[in-house]
Coordinates of all heavy atoms in Angstrom, one line a residue:
G95 N 77.7 1.8 -27.1 CA 76.5 2.2 -26.5 C 76.2 1.5 -25.2 O 77.2 1.1 -24.5
P96 N 75.0 1.4 -24.8 CA 74.7 0.8 -23.5 C 75.2 -0.7 -23.3 O 75.3 -1.4 -24.3 CB 73.1 0.7 -23.5 CG 72.7 1.8 -24.4 CD 73.8 1.8 -25.5
G97 N 75.6 -1.0 -22.1 CA 76.1 -2.3 -21.8 C 77.5 -2.3 -21.2 O 77.9 -3.2 -20.5
E98 N 78.2 -1.2 -21.3 CA 79.4 -1.0 -20.6 C 79.2 0.0 -19.5 O 78.1 0.4 -19.2 CB 80.5 -0.4 -21.6 CG 81.2 -1.5 -22.4 CD 82.1 -2.4 -21.5 OE1 82.5 -2.0 -20.4 OE2 82.4 -3.6 -21.9
N99 N 80.3 0.4 -18.9 CA 80.2 1.3 -17.7 C 79.6 2.7 -18.1 O 78.9 3.3 -17.3 CB 81.5 1.5 -17.0 CG 82.0 0.3 -16.3 OD1 81.4 -0.1 -15.3 ND2 83.0 -0.4 -16.8
A100 N 79.9 3.1 -19.3 CA 79.4 4.4 -19.8 C 79.4 4.4 -21.3 O 80.0 3.5 -21.9 CB 80.3 5.6 -19.3
G101 N 78.7 5.4 -21.9 CA 78.7 5.5 -23.4 C 79.9 6.2 -23.9 O 80.5 7.1 -23.3
V102 N 80.3 5.8 -25.1 CA 81.5 6.4 -25.8 C 81.1 6.9 -27.2 O 80.6 6.2 -28.0 CB 82.6 5.3 -25.9 CG1 83.9 6.0 -26.4 CG2 82.9 4.6 -24.6
V103 N 81.5 8.2 -27.4 CA 81.1 8.8 -28.7 C 82.4 9.5 -29.3 O 83.1 10.2 -28.6 CB 80.0 9.9 -28.5 CG1 79.6 10.5 -29.8 CG2 78.8 9.2 -27.9
D104 N 82.5 9.4 -30.6 CA 83.7 10.0 -31.3 C 83.5 11.5 -31.4 O 82.4 12.0 -31.8 CB 83.7 9.4 -32.7 CG 84.8 9.8 -33.6 OD1 85.6 10.7 -33.1 OD2 84.9 9.3 -34.7
I105 N 84.5 12.2 -31.0 CA 84.5 13.7 -31.2 C 85.6 14.2 -32.1 O 85.9 15.4 -32.2 CB 84.6 14.4 -29.8 CG1 85.9 14.1 -29.1 CG2 83.4 14.2 -29.0 CD1 86.1 14.9 -27.8
G106 N 86.2 13.2 -32.9 CA 87.2 13.6 -33.9 C 88.6 13.7 -33.3 O 88.8 13.7 -32.1
D107 N 89.5 13.7 -34.2 CA 91.0 13.9 -33.9 C 91.4 12.8 -33.0 O 92.3 13.0 -32.1 CB 91.2 15.2 -33.3 CG 90.9 16.4 -34.2 OD1 91.2 16.3 -35.4 OD2 90.3 17.4 -33.7
G108 N 90.8 11.6 -33.1 CA 91.3 10.5 -32.3 C 90.8 10.5 -30.8 O 91.3 9.7 -30.0
M109 N 89.9 11.4 -30.5 CA 89.4 11.5 -29.1 C 87.9 11.1 -29.0 O 87.2 11.1 -30.0 CB 89.5 13.0 -28.7 CG 90.9 13.6 -28.8 SD 92.1 12.7 -27.7 CE 91.5 13.1 -26.1
A110 N 87.5 10.8 -27.8 CA 86.2 10.3 -27.6 C 85.7 11.0 -26.3 O 86.4 11.2 -25.3 CB 86.1 8.8 -27.4
V111 N 84.4 11.2 -26.2 CA 83.7 11.7 -25.0 C 83.0 10.5 -24.4 O 82.4 9.7 -25.1 CB 82.7 12.8 -25.2 CG1 81.6 12.5 -26.2 CG2 82.1 13.3 -23.9
I112 N 83.2 10.3 -23.1 CA 82.6 9.1 -22.4 C 81.7 9.7 -21.2 O 82.2 10.5 -20.4 CB 83.7 8.2 -21.8 CG1 84.6 7.7 -23.0 CG2 83.2 7.1 -21.0 CD1 85.7 6.8 -22.6
F113 N 80.5 9.3 -21.2 CA 79.6 9.9 -20.2 C 78.4 9.0 -19.8 O 78.0 8.1 -20.6 CB 79.0 11.3 -20.7 CG 78.2 11.2 -21.9 CD1 76.8 11.2 -21.8 CD2 78.7 11.1 -23.2 CE1 76.0 11.2 -23.0 CE2 78.0 11.1 -24.3 CZ 76.6 11.1 -24.2
K114 N 77.9 9.3 -18.6 CA 76.7 8.5 -18.1 C 76.1 9.3 -17.0 O 76.7 10.1 -16.3 CB 77.2 7.2 -17.6 CG 76.1 6.2 -17.2 CD 76.6 4.9 -16.6 CE 75.5 4.0 -16.2 NZ 76.0 2.8 -15.5
M115 N 74.8 9.0 -16.7 CA 74.1 9.6 -15.6 C 73.4 8.4 -14.9 O 72.9 7.5 -15.5 CB 73.0 10.6 -16.0 CG 72.2 11.2 -14.9 SD 71.4 12.7 -15.4 CE 70.3 12.2 -16.7
E116 N 73.4 8.5 -13.5 CA 72.7 7.4 -12.8 C 72.3 8.0 -11.4 O 72.7 9.1 -11.0 CB 73.6 6.2 -12.6 CG 74.8 6.4 -11.7 CD 75.6 5.0 -11.5 OE1 75.5 4.1 -12.4 OE2 76.2 4.9 -10.5
S117 N 71.4 7.2 -10.8 CA 70.7 7.7 -9.6 C 71.4 7.3 -8.3 O 72.0 6.2 -8.2 CB 69.3 7.2 -9.6 OG 69.2 5.8 -9.7
H118 N 71.2 8.1 -7.3 CA 71.5 7.7 -5.9 C 70.3 8.2 -5.0 O 70.6 8.9 -4.0 CB 72.8 8.2 -5.5 CG 73.7 7.1 -4.9 ND1 74.5 7.3 -3.8 CD2 73.9 5.8 -5.2 CE1 75.1 6.1 -3.5 NE2 74.7 5.2 -4.3
N119 N 69.1 7.9 -5.4 CA 67.9 8.5 -4.8 C 67.7 8.0 -3.3 O 67.6 8.8 -2.4 CB 66.7 8.2 -5.6 CG 66.9 8.6 -7.0 OD1 67.6 9.5 -7.3 ND2 66.1 8.0 -8.0
H120 N 67.5 6.7 -3.2 CA 67.2 6.2 -1.8 C 68.3 6.5 -0.8 O 68.0 7.0 0.3 CB 67.0 4.7 -1.9 CG 65.6 4.3 -2.5 ND1 65.1 4.9 -3.6 CD2 64.7 3.4 -2.1 CE1 64.0 4.3 -3.9 NE2 63.7 3.4 -3.0
P121 N 69.6 6.3 -1.1 CA 70.6 6.6 -0.1 C 70.6 8.1 0.2 O 70.9 8.5 1.4 CB 71.9 6.2 -0.8 CG 71.5 5.2 -1.9 CD 70.2 5.6 -2.3
S122 N 70.3 9.0 -0.7 CA 70.3 10.4 -0.5 C 69.2 10.8 0.4 O 69.3 11.9 1.1 CB 70.3 11.2 -1.8 OG 71.5 10.9 -2.5
F123 N 68.1 10.1 0.4 CA 67.0 10.4 1.3 C 67.3 10.0 2.7 O 67.0 10.7 3.7 CB 65.7 9.8 0.8 CG 64.5 10.1 1.6 CD1 63.8 11.3 1.4 CD2 64.0 9.3 2.6 CE1 62.7 11.7 2.1 CE2 62.9 9.6 3.3 CZ 62.2 10.8 3.1
I124 N 67.9 8.9 2.8 CA 68.2 8.3 4.1 C 69.4 9.1 4.8 O 69.3 9.4 6.0 CB 68.6 6.8 4.0 CG1 67.4 6.0 3.5 CG2 69.1 6.3 5.3 CD1 67.7 4.6 3.1
E125 N 70.4 9.4 4.0 CA 71.6 10.1 4.6 C 72.1 11.0 3.5 O 72.9 10.7 2.6 CB 72.7 9.1 4.9 CG 73.5 9.5 6.1 CD 74.2 10.9 6.0 OE1 74.9 11.1 5.0 OE2 73.9 11.8 6.8
P126 N 71.5 12.3 3.4 CA 71.7 13.1 2.2 C 73.1 13.4 1.9 O 73.5 13.4 0.7 CB 70.9 14.4 2.6 CG 70.6 14.3 4.0 CD 70.6 12.9 4.4
Y127 N 74.0 13.7 2.9 CA 75.4 14.1 2.5 C 76.1 12.9 1.9 O 76.6 13.0 0.7 CB 76.1 14.6 3.7 CG 77.5 15.1 3.4 CD1 77.8 16.4 3.1 CD2 78.6 14.2 3.2 CE1 79.0 16.8 2.8 CE2 79.9 14.6 2.9 CZ 80.1 15.9 2.6 OH 81.3 16.4 2.3
Q128 N 76.1 11.8 2.6 CA 76.9 10.6 2.0 C 76.2 10.0 0.8 O 76.8 9.5 -0.1 CB 77.1 9.6 3.1 CG 78.1 9.9 4.2 CD 79.5 10.1 3.7 OE1 79.8 9.7 2.5 NE2 80.4 10.7 4.5
G129 N 74.8 10.0 0.8 CA 74.1 9.5 -0.3 C 74.5 10.2 -1.6 O 74.8 9.6 -2.7
A130 N 74.5 11.6 -1.6 CA 74.8 12.4 -2.7 C 76.3 12.3 -3.1 O 76.6 12.2 -4.2 CB 74.4 13.8 -2.5
A131 N 77.1 12.3 -2.0 CA 78.6 12.3 -2.3 C 79.0 11.0 -3.0 O 79.7 11.0 -3.9 CB 79.3 12.4 -1.0
T132 N 78.5 9.9 -2.5 CA 78.8 8.6 -3.1 C 78.2 8.4 -4.5 O 78.7 7.6 -5.3 CB 78.5 7.4 -2.2 OG1 77.1 7.5 -1.7 CG2 79.4 7.5 -0.9
G133 N 77.1 9.1 -4.7 CA 76.5 9.1 -6.1 C 77.5 9.7 -7.0 O 77.7 9.2 -8.1
V134 N 78.1 10.8 -6.6 CA 79.1 11.5 -7.5 C 80.3 10.6 -7.6 O 80.8 10.4 -8.7 CB 79.5 12.8 -6.8 CG1 80.7 13.4 -7.6 CG2 78.3 13.8 -6.8
G135 N 80.8 10.0 -6.5 CA 81.9 9.1 -6.6 C 81.7 7.9 -7.6 O 82.6 7.5 -8.4
G136 N 80.5 7.3 -7.5 CA 80.2 6.2 -8.3 C 80.2 6.5 -9.8 O 80.7 5.8 -10.6
I137 N 79.6 7.6 -10.2 CA 79.5 8.0 -11.6 C 80.8 8.4 -12.1 O 81.2 8.2 -13.3 CB 78.4 9.1 -11.8 CG1 78.0 9.1 -13.3 CG2 78.8 10.4 -11.3 CD1 77.4 7.8 -13.8
L138 N 81.7 9.0 -11.3 CA 83.1 9.3 -11.7 C 83.8 8.0 -12.0 O 84.5 7.9 -13.1 CB 83.8 10.0 -10.6 CG 83.5 11.5 -10.4 CD1 84.0 12.0 -9.1 CD2 84.2 12.3 -11.5
R139 N 83.6 7.0 -11.2 CA 84.3 5.7 -11.5 C 83.8 5.0 -12.8 O 84.6 4.4 -13.5 CB 84.1 4.7 -10.3 CG 85.0 5.2 -9.1 CD 85.1 4.0 -8.1 NE 83.8 3.6 -7.5 CZ 83.1 4.3 -6.6 NH1 83.6 5.4 -6.1 NH2 81.9 3.8 -6.2
D140 N 82.5 5.2 -13.0 CA 82.0 4.6 -14.3 C 82.7 5.2 -15.5 O 82.9 4.5 -16.5 CB 80.5 4.9 -14.4 CG 79.6 3.9 -13.6 OD1 80.1 2.8 -13.3 OD2 78.5 4.2 -13.4
V141 N 83.1 6.4 -15.4 CA 83.7 7.1 -16.5 C 85.2 6.8 -16.6 O 85.8 6.5 -17.6 CB 83.4 8.6 -16.5 CG1 84.3 9.4 -17.5 CG2 81.9 8.8 -16.8
F142 N 85.9 7.0 -15.5 CA 87.4 6.8 -15.6 C 87.8 5.4 -15.7 O 88.9 5.0 -16.1 CB 88.2 7.6 -14.5 CG 88.2 7.0 -13.1 CD1 88.9 5.9 -12.8 CD2 87.4 7.6 -12.1 CE1 88.9 5.4 -11.5 CE2 87.5 7.2 -10.8 CZ 88.2 6.0 -10.5
T143 N 86.9 4.5 -15.3 CA 87.1 3.0 -15.5 C 87.3 2.7 -17.0 O 88.1 1.8 -17.3 CB 85.8 2.2 -15.1 OG1 85.7 2.3 -13.7 CG2 85.9 0.8 -15.5
M144 N 86.8 3.5 -17.9 CA 86.9 3.3 -19.3 C 88.1 4.0 -19.9 O 88.3 4.0 -21.2 CB 85.6 3.6 -20.0 CG 84.4 2.8 -19.5 SD 83.0 2.9 -20.6 CE 83.5 2.0 -22.0
G145 N 88.9 4.6 -19.1 CA 90.1 5.3 -19.6 C 90.0 6.8 -19.8 O 90.9 7.4 -20.3
A146 N 88.8 7.3 -19.4 CA 88.6 8.8 -19.6 C 89.0 9.6 -18.4 O 88.7 9.1 -17.2 CB 87.2 9.0 -19.9
R147 N 89.6 10.7 -18.6 CA 89.8 11.7 -17.5 C 88.5 12.5 -17.3 O 88.1 13.1 -18.3 CB 90.9 12.6 -17.7 CG 91.1 13.7 -16.6 CD 92.4 14.4 -16.7 NE 93.5 13.6 -16.4 CZ 93.9 13.3 -15.2 NH1 93.2 13.7 -14.1 NH2 95.0 12.5 -15.0
P148 N 87.8 12.4 -16.2 CA 86.6 13.2 -16.0 C 86.9 14.7 -16.1 O 87.9 15.2 -15.5 CB 86.2 12.8 -14.5 CG 86.9 11.5 -14.2 CD 88.2 11.6 -15.0
I149 N 86.1 15.4 -16.9 CA 86.2 16.8 -17.1 C 85.1 17.6 -16.5 O 85.2 18.8 -16.4 CB 86.5 17.2 -18.5 CG1 85.2 16.8 -19.4 CG2 87.7 16.5 -19.1 CD1 85.2 17.5 -20.8
A150 N 84.0 17.0 -16.2 CA 82.8 17.7 -15.7 C 81.8 16.8 -15.0 O 81.6 15.7 -15.4 CB 82.1 18.5 -16.8
N151 N 81.1 17.4 -14.0 CA 80.0 16.7 -13.4 C 78.8 17.6 -13.5 O 78.9 18.8 -13.6 CB 80.2 16.5 -11.9 CG 81.3 15.5 -11.5 OD1 81.5 14.5 -12.3 ND2 82.0 15.7 -10.4
L152 N 77.6 17.0 -13.6 CA 76.3 17.6 -13.6 C 75.4 16.9 -12.7 O 75.7 15.8 -12.2 CB 75.7 17.7 -15.0 CG 76.5 18.5 -16.1 CD1 77.4 17.5 -16.9 CD2 75.5 19.1 -17.1
N153 N 74.2 17.4 -12.4 CA 73.3 16.7 -11.6 C 71.9 17.2 -11.9 O 71.7 18.2 -12.6 CB 73.6 16.9 -10.1 CG 73.7 18.4 -9.7 OD1 72.7 19.1 -9.8 ND2 74.9 18.9 -9.4
A154 N 70.9 16.4 -11.5 CA 69.5 16.7 -11.6 C 68.8 16.3 -10.3 O 68.8 15.1 -9.9 CB 68.9 15.9 -12.8
L155 N 68.3 17.3 -9.6 CA 67.9 17.1 -8.2 C 66.4 17.5 -8.1 O 65.9 18.5 -8.7 CB 68.6 18.1 -7.2 CG 70.1 18.1 -7.3 CD1 70.7 19.1 -6.4 CD2 70.7 16.7 -7.1
R156 N 65.6 16.6 -7.4 CA 64.2 16.9 -7.2 C 63.9 16.7 -5.7 O 64.2 15.6 -5.2 CB 63.3 15.9 -8.0 CG 62.8 16.6 -9.3 CD 63.8 16.4 -10.4 NE 63.4 17.2 -11.6 CZ 64.1 17.2 -12.7 NH1 65.2 16.4 -12.8 NH2 63.8 17.9 -13.8
F157 N 63.4 17.7 -5.1 CA 63.0 17.7 -3.7 C 61.5 17.8 -3.5 O 60.8 18.2 -4.4 CB 63.8 18.8 -2.9 CG 65.3 18.6 -3.0 CD1 66.0 19.4 -3.9 CD2 65.9 17.7 -2.2 CE1 67.4 19.3 -3.9 CE2 67.3 17.6 -2.2 CZ 68.1 18.4 -3.1
G158 N 61.1 17.5 -2.3 CA 59.7 17.7 -1.9 C 59.3 19.1 -1.8 O 60.0 20.1 -2.1
S159 N 58.0 19.3 -1.4 CA 57.5 20.7 -1.2 C 58.4 21.4 -0.2 O 58.9 20.9 0.8 CB 56.1 20.6 -0.6 OG 55.7 21.8 -0.2
P160 N 58.6 22.7 -0.5 CA 59.4 23.5 0.4 C 58.8 23.6 1.8 O 59.5 23.8 2.8 CB 59.4 24.9 -0.2 CG 59.2 24.7 -1.7 CD 58.3 23.5 -1.8
D161 N 57.5 23.3 1.9 CA 56.8 23.4 3.2 C 57.0 22.1 4.0 O 56.7 22.0 5.2 CB 55.3 23.6 3.0 CG 55.0 25.0 2.4 OD1 55.8 25.9 2.6 OD2 54.0 25.1 1.7
H162 N 57.5 21.0 3.4 CA 57.7 19.8 4.0 C 58.8 19.9 5.1 O 59.8 20.5 4.9 CB 58.0 18.6 3.0 CG 57.9 17.3 3.6 ND1 59.0 16.7 4.2 CD2 56.9 16.4 3.7 CE1 58.6 15.5 4.7 NE2 57.3 15.3 4.4
A163 N 58.6 19.2 6.2 CA 59.5 19.3 7.3 C 61.0 18.9 7.0 O 61.9 19.4 7.6 CB 59.0 18.5 8.5
K164 N 61.2 18.0 6.1 CA 62.5 17.5 5.8 C 63.2 18.1 4.6 O 64.4 18.0 4.4 CB 62.5 15.9 5.5 CG 62.1 15.1 6.7 CD 62.3 13.6 6.4 CE 63.8 13.3 6.4 NZ 64.1 11.9 6.4
T165 N 62.5 18.9 3.8 CA 63.0 19.4 2.6 C 64.3 20.2 2.8 O 65.3 20.0 2.1 CB 62.0 20.2 1.8 OG1 60.9 19.3 1.5 CG2 62.6 20.7 0.5
R166 N 64.2 21.2 3.7 CA 65.4 22.1 3.8 C 66.6 21.3 4.3 O 67.7 21.5 3.7 CB 65.1 23.2 4.9 CG 66.1 24.3 5.0 CD 65.7 25.3 6.0 NE 64.7 26.2 5.5 CZ 63.4 26.1 5.9 NH1 63.1 25.2 6.8 NH2 62.5 27.0 5.5
H167 N 66.5 20.3 5.2 CA 67.6 19.4 5.6 C 68.1 18.6 4.4 O 69.3 18.5 4.3 CB 67.0 18.5 6.7 CG 67.8 17.3 6.9 ND1 69.1 17.3 7.5 CD2 67.6 16.0 6.6 CE1 69.6 16.1 7.6 NE2 68.7 15.3 7.1
L168 N 67.2 18.1 3.6 CA 67.7 17.3 2.5 C 68.4 18.1 1.4 O 69.4 17.7 0.9 CB 66.5 16.6 1.8 CG 65.8 15.5 2.7 CD1 64.5 15.1 2.1 CD2 66.7 14.3 2.9
V169 N 67.9 19.3 1.1 CA 68.6 20.2 0.2 C 70.0 20.5 0.7 O 71.0 20.4 0.0 CB 67.8 21.5 -0.1 CG1 68.6 22.5 -0.9 CG2 66.5 21.2 -0.7
S170 N 70.1 20.9 1.9 CA 71.4 21.2 2.5 C 72.3 20.1 2.4 O 73.5 20.3 2.0 CB 71.2 21.7 4.0 OG 72.4 22.0 4.6
G171 N 71.9 18.9 2.8 CA 72.8 17.8 2.8 C 73.2 17.3 1.5 O 74.4 17.0 1.2
V172 N 72.3 17.3 0.5 CA 72.6 16.8 -0.8 C 73.6 17.8 -1.5 O 74.5 17.4 -2.1 CB 71.3 16.7 -1.7 CG1 71.6 16.5 -3.1 CG2 70.5 15.4 -1.2
V173 N 73.3 19.1 -1.4 CA 74.1 20.0 -2.1 C 75.5 20.0 -1.5 O 76.6 20.0 -2.2 CB 73.5 21.4 -2.0 CG1 74.5 22.5 -2.5 CG2 72.3 21.5 -2.8
A174 N 75.6 19.9 -0.1 CA 76.9 19.8 0.5 C 77.6 18.5 0.1 O 78.9 18.5 -0.1 CB 76.7 19.8 2.0

Side-chain angles (χ1 to χ4, degrees):
E98 275 293 338
N99 288 292
V102 186
V103 180
D104 183 357
I105 58 171
D107 301 318
M109 303 299 290
V111 59
I112 299 180
F113 64 100
K114 186 183 180 184
M115 180 163 59
E116 65 177 27
S117 59
H118 230 221
N119 304 335
H120 284 45
S122 298
F123 183 81
I124 294 169
E125 212 305 301
Y127 185 95
Q128 289 295 349
T132 52
V134 174
I137 197 64
L138 282 165
R139 288 194 300 280
D140 278 340
V141 168
F142 75 75
T143 293
M144 299 195 69
R147 177 169 291 280
I149 63 165
N151 291 327
L152 299 91
N153 52 69
L155 312 177
R156 264 87 190 179
F157 296 102
S159 167
D161 297 330
H162 191 272
K164 292 193 70 169
T165 298
R166 190 179 286 105
H167 161 72
L168 291 168
V169 173
S170 177
V172 165
V173 171

